[in-house]
Amino acid sequence: MKSLTTAPNLPAPPRPTQATAPSATGPERFASLLQRHGAFAVLVALVLVSTFVFPSFGTLDNAQNVAVQASFIAVVALGMTLVIITGGIDLSVGSVFALGGVLAAWASQYGFWAALLLPLVVCGAIGTLNGLLIARAGMAPFIVTLATLLGARGLLLALTHEGATTYLVPRDSAFAELGQGTVGGFGYPVLVALALFAVGGVVLQRTSFGQSLFAVGG
């Protein structure tokens, strides 16, 4: 009777190891960082050059004035961010912004709330029309917002008689104080823009509505 023998335990063959990518060198890291944050780098360089070339550029007063002027565009950019996240586009924001300014100046003669609410209602209605035509009627955002751009600009020219009429906000009104007043050296428009950005960040990152916007864009 033959005896059964077991095969000797042979060592397992070594597994092939995956080659690790070589670590990026200093110049490569700098180039990658510059590619991701190129716009910010150009902004920093522009500020530094302007500070050395123009003595009044680096002053606190100039920084406050630039912040106030940029705050209005920042609010428009916040709304535009929500649109772009969904993969859409809105060409009418510039004309609608200008129309809102004219409506606010015209309504300021009737009080603070009229100047504040009239542009919000009219410009909000234009935005609602854009949304309905794009989301419900299935029209292209480029075409719809181009049409409302022309419509808002036409209404703006009609209200100002093609630029011949200028509406002035009364200097002693509360609405003028909202645009020109300061708290701790910062203008009210800057504080409003910062508050809206904080709310916008919470809406995008912490609410189901914000996550739905990312899902639509994805």
Short mmCIF file of all heavy atoms in Angstrom, two decimals, residues 105-147:
data_model
loop_
_atom_site.label_atom_id
_atom_site.label_comp_id
_atom_site.label_asym_id
_atom_site.label_seq_id
_atom_site.Cartn_x
_atom_site.Cartn_y
_atom_site.Cartn_z
N ALA A 105 -33.57 104.85 -7.45
CA ALA A 105 -33.41 106.30 -7.41
C ALA A 105 -34.74 107.01 -7.67
O ALA A 105 -35.05 108.02 -7.03
CB ALA A 105 -32.36 106.73 -8.43
N TRP A 106 -35.52 106.50 -8.61
CA TRP A 106 -36.82 107.13 -8.91
C TRP A 106 -37.78 107.00 -7.73
O TRP A 106 -38.49 107.94 -7.38
CB TRP A 106 -37.43 106.49 -10.15
CG TRP A 106 -38.80 106.99 -10.45
CD1 TRP A 106 -39.13 108.15 -11.10
CD2 TRP A 106 -40.05 106.37 -10.09
NE1 TRP A 106 -40.49 108.29 -11.17
CE2 TRP A 106 -41.08 107.21 -10.56
CE3 TRP A 106 -40.38 105.19 -9.43
CZ2 TRP A 106 -42.42 106.91 -10.38
CZ3 TRP A 106 -41.71 104.89 -9.24
CH2 TRP A 106 -42.72 105.73 -9.72
N ALA A 107 -37.79 105.82 -7.09
CA ALA A 107 -38.74 105.58 -6.00
C ALA A 107 -38.30 106.19 -4.68
O ALA A 107 -39.11 106.26 -3.74
CB ALA A 107 -38.95 104.08 -5.82
N SER A 108 -37.05 106.66 -4.59
CA SER A 108 -36.57 107.21 -3.33
C SER A 108 -37.33 108.47 -2.93
O SER A 108 -37.35 108.84 -1.75
CB SER A 108 -35.07 107.52 -3.42
OG SER A 108 -34.81 108.50 -4.42
N GLN A 109 -37.95 109.14 -3.89
CA GLN A 109 -38.73 110.34 -3.56
C GLN A 109 -40.00 109.99 -2.79
O GLN A 109 -40.61 110.86 -2.17
CB GLN A 109 -39.10 111.09 -4.85
CG GLN A 109 -39.88 110.25 -5.84
CD GLN A 109 -40.15 110.95 -7.14
OE1 GLN A 109 -40.40 112.15 -7.15
NE2 GLN A 109 -40.09 110.21 -8.25
N TYR A 110 -40.39 108.70 -2.80
CA TYR A 110 -41.59 108.27 -2.09
C TYR A 110 -41.27 107.56 -0.77
O TYR A 110 -42.16 106.99 -0.15
CB TYR A 110 -42.41 107.33 -2.98
CG TYR A 110 -42.85 107.97 -4.26
CD1 TYR A 110 -42.24 107.64 -5.47
CD2 TYR A 110 -43.87 108.92 -4.28
CE1 TYR A 110 -42.65 108.24 -6.66
CE2 TYR A 110 -44.27 109.53 -5.47
CZ TYR A 110 -43.65 109.17 -6.65
OH TYR A 110 -44.05 109.77 -7.82
N GLY A 111 -40.01 107.56 -0.39
CA GLY A 111 -39.66 106.99 0.90
C GLY A 111 -38.70 105.82 0.79
O GLY A 111 -38.40 105.31 -0.30
N PHE A 112 -38.21 105.40 1.95
CA PHE A 112 -37.19 104.35 2.02
C PHE A 112 -37.70 103.02 1.51
O PHE A 112 -37.04 102.35 0.71
CB PHE A 112 -36.72 104.22 3.48
CG PHE A 112 -35.80 103.06 3.70
CD1 PHE A 112 -34.46 103.16 3.39
CD2 PHE A 112 -36.28 101.86 4.23
CE1 PHE A 112 -33.60 102.09 3.60
CE2 PHE A 112 -35.42 100.80 4.44
CZ PHE A 112 -34.09 100.92 4.13
N TRP A 113 -38.89 102.60 1.96
CA TRP A 113 -39.38 101.28 1.60
C TRP A 113 -39.74 101.19 0.12
O TRP A 113 -39.56 100.13 -0.50
CB TRP A 113 -40.58 100.90 2.46
CG TRP A 113 -40.19 100.66 3.88
CD1 TRP A 113 -40.46 101.44 4.97
CD2 TRP A 113 -39.42 99.56 4.37
NE1 TRP A 113 -39.91 100.91 6.10
CE2 TRP A 113 -39.26 99.75 5.77
CE3 TRP A 113 -38.84 98.45 3.76
CZ2 TRP A 113 -38.57 98.86 6.56
CZ3 TRP A 113 -38.13 97.56 4.56
CH2 TRP A 113 -38.00 97.76 5.93
N ALA A 114 -40.22 102.28 -0.45
CA ALA A 114 -40.51 102.27 -1.89
C ALA A 114 -39.22 102.09 -2.69
O ALA A 114 -39.17 101.32 -3.65
CB ALA A 114 -41.22 103.57 -2.29
N ALA A 115 -38.16 102.81 -2.28
CA ALA A 115 -36.88 102.69 -2.98
C ALA A 115 -36.27 101.31 -2.80
O ALA A 115 -35.54 100.83 -3.68
CB ALA A 115 -35.92 103.76 -2.48
N LEU A 116 -36.54 100.67 -1.68
CA LEU A 116 -35.95 99.35 -1.42
C LEU A 116 -36.73 98.23 -2.09
O LEU A 116 -36.14 97.29 -2.66
CB LEU A 116 -35.87 99.11 0.09
CG LEU A 116 -35.17 97.83 0.54
CD1 LEU A 116 -33.69 97.87 0.15
CD2 LEU A 116 -35.31 97.64 2.04
N LEU A 117 -38.06 98.31 -2.06
CA LEU A 117 -38.87 97.19 -2.50
C LEU A 117 -39.16 97.21 -4.00
O LEU A 117 -39.27 96.14 -4.61
CB LEU A 117 -40.20 97.18 -1.73
CG LEU A 117 -40.08 96.92 -0.23
CD1 LEU A 117 -41.45 96.97 0.44
CD2 LEU A 117 -39.41 95.59 0.04
N LEU A 118 -39.29 98.40 -4.60
CA LEU A 118 -39.65 98.44 -6.02
C LEU A 118 -38.62 97.73 -6.90
O LEU A 118 -39.00 96.89 -7.73
CB LEU A 118 -39.82 99.89 -6.47
CG LEU A 118 -40.19 100.07 -7.94
CD1 LEU A 118 -41.53 99.42 -8.24
CD2 LEU A 118 -40.21 101.55 -8.32
N PRO A 119 -37.32 98.01 -6.79
CA PRO A 119 -36.36 97.26 -7.62
C PRO A 119 -36.34 95.77 -7.31
O PRO A 119 -36.14 94.96 -8.22
CB PRO A 119 -35.02 97.93 -7.32
CG PRO A 119 -35.21 98.61 -6.03
CD PRO A 119 -36.64 99.03 -5.97
N LEU A 120 -36.56 95.40 -6.03
CA LEU A 120 -36.57 93.98 -5.69
C LEU A 120 -37.75 93.27 -6.36
O LEU A 120 -37.60 92.15 -6.88
CB LEU A 120 -36.64 93.80 -4.17
CG LEU A 120 -35.41 94.21 -3.38
CD1 LEU A 120 -35.66 94.03 -1.89
CD2 LEU A 120 -34.19 93.42 -3.81
N VAL A 121 -38.90 93.92 -6.39
CA VAL A 121 -40.08 93.30 -7.00
C VAL A 121 -39.93 93.20 -8.51
O VAL A 121 -40.16 92.14 -9.11
CB VAL A 121 -41.35 94.10 -6.63
CG1 VAL A 121 -42.55 93.60 -7.42
CG2 VAL A 121 -41.63 94.00 -5.13
N VAL A 122 -39.52 94.31 -9.15
CA VAL A 122 -39.41 94.32 -10.61
C VAL A 122 -38.30 93.38 -11.09
O VAL A 122 -38.51 92.55 -11.98
CB VAL A 122 -39.18 95.75 -11.12
CG1 VAL A 122 -38.93 95.75 -12.63
CG2 VAL A 122 -40.37 96.64 -10.77
N CYS A 123 -37.13 93.49 -10.49
CA CYS A 123 -36.00 92.65 -10.92
C CYS A 123 -36.25 91.19 -10.54
O CYS A 123 -35.85 90.28 -11.28
CB CYS A 123 -34.71 93.15 -10.28
SG CYS A 123 -34.25 94.82 -10.80
N GLY A 124 -36.93 90.97 -9.39
CA GLY A 124 -37.30 89.60 -9.05
C GLY A 124 -38.29 89.00 -10.03
O GLY A 124 -38.22 87.80 -10.34
N ALA A 125 -39.20 89.83 -10.55
CA ALA A 125 -40.15 89.35 -11.55
C ALA A 125 -39.43 88.97 -12.85
O ALA A 125 -39.78 87.98 -13.50
CB ALA A 125 -41.20 90.41 -11.82
N ILE A 126 -38.42 89.74 -13.22
CA ILE A 126 -37.65 89.41 -14.42
C ILE A 126 -36.91 88.09 -14.22
O ILE A 126 -36.87 87.23 -15.12
CB ILE A 126 -36.66 90.55 -14.74
CG1 ILE A 126 -37.42 91.81 -15.12
CG2 ILE A 126 -35.73 90.14 -15.89
CD1 ILE A 126 -36.53 93.02 -15.34
N GLY A 127 -36.32 87.90 -13.04
CA GLY A 127 -35.65 86.63 -12.77
C GLY A 127 -36.61 85.46 -12.74
O GLY A 127 -36.29 84.36 -13.22
N THR A 128 -37.81 85.68 -12.20
CA THR A 128 -38.82 84.62 -12.20
C THR A 128 -39.24 84.25 -13.62
O THR A 128 -39.42 83.07 -13.94
CB THR A 128 -40.04 85.06 -11.39
OG1 THR A 128 -39.62 85.39 -10.06
CG2 THR A 128 -41.09 83.96 -11.32
N LEU A 129 -39.39 85.27 -14.46
CA LEU A 129 -39.73 85.01 -15.87
C LEU A 129 -38.64 84.19 -16.55
O LEU A 129 -38.94 83.24 -17.29
CB LEU A 129 -39.94 86.34 -16.59
CG LEU A 129 -40.23 86.26 -18.09
CD1 LEU A 129 -41.55 85.52 -18.34
CD2 LEU A 129 -40.27 87.65 -18.70
N ASN A 130 -37.38 84.54 -16.28
CA ASN A 130 -36.28 83.74 -16.83
C ASN A 130 -36.38 82.28 -16.39
O ASN A 130 -36.23 81.36 -17.20
CB ASN A 130 -34.94 84.32 -16.39
CG ASN A 130 -34.58 85.61 -17.10
OD1 ASN A 130 -35.10 85.89 -18.19
ND2 ASN A 130 -33.73 86.40 -16.50
N GLY A 131 -36.61 82.08 -15.10
CA GLY A 131 -36.66 80.72 -14.57
C GLY A 131 -37.81 79.92 -15.15
O GLY A 131 -37.66 78.73 -15.48
N LEU A 132 -38.97 80.53 -15.29
CA LEU A 132 -40.13 79.81 -15.83
C LEU A 132 -39.91 79.43 -17.29
O LEU A 132 -40.23 78.30 -17.70
CB LEU A 132 -41.38 80.67 -15.68
CG LEU A 132 -41.90 80.88 -14.25
CD1 LEU A 132 -43.08 81.84 -14.25
CD2 LEU A 132 -42.28 79.55 -13.62
N LEU A 133 -39.38 80.35 -18.08
CA LEU A 133 -39.17 80.06 -19.49
C LEU A 133 -38.10 78.99 -19.69
O LEU A 133 -38.19 78.17 -20.62
CB LEU A 133 -38.78 81.34 -20.24
CG LEU A 133 -39.87 82.41 -20.36
CD1 LEU A 133 -39.33 83.64 -21.07
CD2 LEU A 133 -41.08 81.86 -21.11
N ILE A 134 -37.10 78.97 -18.81
CA ILE A 134 -36.02 78.00 -18.96
C ILE A 134 -36.41 76.64 -18.38
O ILE A 134 -36.26 75.60 -19.02
CB ILE A 134 -34.74 78.53 -18.28
CG1 ILE A 134 -34.24 79.78 -19.00
CG2 ILE A 134 -33.66 77.45 -18.26
CD1 ILE A 134 -33.14 80.50 -18.27
N ALA A 135 -36.95 76.64 -17.14
CA ALA A 135 -37.23 75.38 -16.46
C ALA A 135 -38.53 74.74 -16.91
O ALA A 135 -38.62 73.52 -17.03
CB ALA A 135 -37.26 75.61 -14.94
N ARG A 136 -39.56 75.54 -17.16
CA ARG A 136 -40.87 74.99 -17.50
C ARG A 136 -41.09 74.89 -19.00
O ARG A 136 -41.61 73.87 -19.49
CB ARG A 136 -41.97 75.86 -16.89
CG ARG A 136 -41.92 75.95 -15.37
CD ARG A 136 -42.07 74.58 -14.73
NE ARG A 136 -42.05 74.67 -13.27
CZ ARG A 136 -42.10 73.61 -12.48
NH1 ARG A 136 -42.15 72.39 -12.99
NH2 ARG A 136 -42.07 73.76 -11.16
N ALA A 137 -40.69 75.93 -19.73
CA ALA A 137 -40.90 75.91 -21.19
C ALA A 137 -39.76 75.23 -21.93
O ALA A 137 -39.89 74.96 -23.12
CB ALA A 137 -41.09 77.33 -21.71
N GLY A 138 -38.65 74.95 -21.25
CA GLY A 138 -37.54 74.25 -21.88
C GLY A 138 -36.76 75.07 -22.88
O GLY A 138 -36.11 74.51 -23.77
N MET A 139 -36.79 76.39 -22.74
CA MET A 139 -36.06 77.25 -23.68
C MET A 139 -34.60 77.37 -23.25
O MET A 139 -34.25 77.14 -22.09
CB MET A 139 -36.73 78.63 -23.74
CG MET A 139 -38.17 78.59 -24.21
SD MET A 139 -38.95 80.22 -24.26
CE MET A 139 -37.98 81.00 -25.56
N ALA A 140 -33.75 77.72 -24.19
CA ALA A 140 -32.32 77.82 -23.92
C ALA A 140 -32.03 79.04 -23.04
O ALA A 140 -32.53 80.13 -23.32
CB ALA A 140 -31.54 77.92 -25.23
N PRO A 141 -31.23 78.88 -21.98
CA PRO A 141 -30.92 80.03 -21.11
C PRO A 141 -30.27 81.18 -21.86
O PRO A 141 -30.54 82.35 -21.55
CB PRO A 141 -29.98 79.43 -20.07
CG PRO A 141 -30.24 77.97 -20.10
CD PRO A 141 -30.63 77.64 -21.50
N PHE A 142 -29.43 80.88 -22.83
CA PHE A 142 -28.75 81.94 -23.57
C PHE A 142 -29.75 82.83 -24.29
O PHE A 142 -29.65 84.06 -24.25
CB PHE A 142 -27.77 81.32 -24.58
CG PHE A 142 -26.89 82.31 -25.28
CD1 PHE A 142 -25.64 82.62 -24.76
CD2 PHE A 142 -27.31 82.94 -26.43
CE1 PHE A 142 -24.83 83.55 -25.41
CE2 PHE A 142 -26.51 83.86 -27.07
CZ PHE A 142 -25.26 84.17 -26.56
N ILE A 143 -30.74 82.22 -24.94
CA ILE A 143 -31.72 82.98 -25.70
C ILE A 143 -32.65 83.76 -24.77
O ILE A 143 -32.94 84.94 -24.99
CB ILE A 143 -32.53 82.05 -26.62
CG1 ILE A 143 -31.60 81.30 -27.57
CG2 ILE A 143 -33.58 82.83 -27.39
CD1 ILE A 143 -30.78 82.19 -28.46
N VAL A 144 -33.12 83.11 -23.71
CA VAL A 144 -34.07 83.75 -22.79
C VAL A 144 -33.43 84.95 -22.12
O VAL A 144 -34.01 86.06 -22.08
CB VAL A 144 -34.56 82.73 -21.75
CG1 VAL A 144 -35.40 83.44 -20.69
CG2 VAL A 144 -35.38 81.65 -22.42
N THR A 145 -32.24 84.77 -21.56
CA THR A 145 -31.62 85.88 -20.83
C THR A 145 -31.12 86.97 -21.77
O THR A 145 -31.03 88.13 -21.36
CB THR A 145 -30.46 85.35 -19.97
OG1 THR A 145 -29.50 84.67 -20.80
CG2 THR A 145 -30.97 84.40 -18.91
N LEU A 146 -30.82 86.63 -23.00
CA LEU A 146 -30.48 87.67 -23.98
C LEU A 146 -31.70 88.54 -24.27
O LEU A 146 -31.59 89.77 -24.39
CB LEU A 146 -29.96 87.03 -25.27
CG LEU A 146 -29.58 88.00 -26.40
CD1 LEU A 146 -28.46 88.94 -25.95
CD2 LEU A 146 -29.17 87.24 -27.64
N ALA A 147 -32.88 87.92 -24.34
CA ALA A 147 -34.10 88.68 -24.58
C ALA A 147 -34.43 89.58 -23.39
O ALA A 147 -34.79 90.75 -23.55
CB ALA A 147 -35.26 87.73 -24.86
#
